[in-house]
């Protein structure tokens, strides 16, 4: 039994039972921080603003960049909706690949069973 993998372990390895990582900062804090940055004139230094808010400066920078992408101001990043769609499509693609592998294996098995030239 030592080298065997259980069905539960296989599910975890395939990603079927995985959960997203918990968010480090509340959603309300993110939204308000981005809103404060976008409303400020002149634009504050992100590092200093992040220190004042008690968040990591790269986290704030990423939130601002994502908000700009969602608003259509950045062409180099995917919007949140596009990211979600891409994740769903990747998940569906992985499921279809697994289904195709099962069907391919079953087809080979039944073809071998029905082959009249195969010695029994």
């Amino acid at each position: 039994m030592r080298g065997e993998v259980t069905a539960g372990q296989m599910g975890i390895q395939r990603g079927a039972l995985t959960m997203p990582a918990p968010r480090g900062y509340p959603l309300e804090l993110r939204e308000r921080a981005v809103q404060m940055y976008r409303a400020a004139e002149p634009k504050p230094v992100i590092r200093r603003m992040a220190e004042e808010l008690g968040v990591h400066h790269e986290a704030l920078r990423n939130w601002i960049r994502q908000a700009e992408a969602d608003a259509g101001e950045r062409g180099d990043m995917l919007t949140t909706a596009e990211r979600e769609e891409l994740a769903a499509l990747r998940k569906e693609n992985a499921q279809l690949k697994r289904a195709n592998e099962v069907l391919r294996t079953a087809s080979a098995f039944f073809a071998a069973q029905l082959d009249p030239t195969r010695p029994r």
Side-chain angles (χ1 to χ4, degrees):
M1 287 272 170
R2 187 170 208 179
E4 294 181 25
V5 178
T6 65
Q9 290 170 328
M10 288 182 68
I12 291 171
Q13 290 173 349
R14 288 187 183 157
L17 301 177
T18 60
M19 295 177 53
R23 295 198 178 262
Y25 300 103
L27 186 58
E28 182 180 339
L29 173 64
R30 293 170 182 232
E31 292 171 353
R32 292 190 63 167
V34 169
Q35 186 179 33
M36 284 174 50
Y37 177 84
R38 292 175 62 97
E41 280 298 328
K43 297 295 180 208
V45 175
I46 291 176
R47 188 177 292 265
R48 189 170 303 130
M49 184 178 173
E51 288 175 7
E52 292 172 4
L53 294 172
V55 300
H56 194 271
H57 63 276
E58 284 302 317
L60 179 58
R61 186 181 320 279
N62 288 335
W63 301 341
I64 293 167
R65 291 177 69 210
Q66 189 62 52
E68 290 171 348
D70 289 345
E73 298 168 7
R74 293 185 73 104
D76 62 335
M77 290 180 61
L78 297 176
T79 65
T80 302
E82 291 170 335
R83 285 181 188 274
E84 291 170 356
E85 181 183 10
L86 181 59
L89 290 171
R90 285 181 174 164
K91 184 176 181 178
E92 181 182 1
N93 192 26
Q95 290 172 343
L96 291 172
K97 284 182 179 181
R98 283 193 299 271
N100 280 341
E101 185 60 34
V102 168
L103 291 172
R104 191 175 299 117
T105 304
S107 175
F109 173 77
F110 288 119
Q113 293 292 317
L114 297 175
D115 188 4
T117 61
R118 181 173 162 238
R120 291 186 187 222

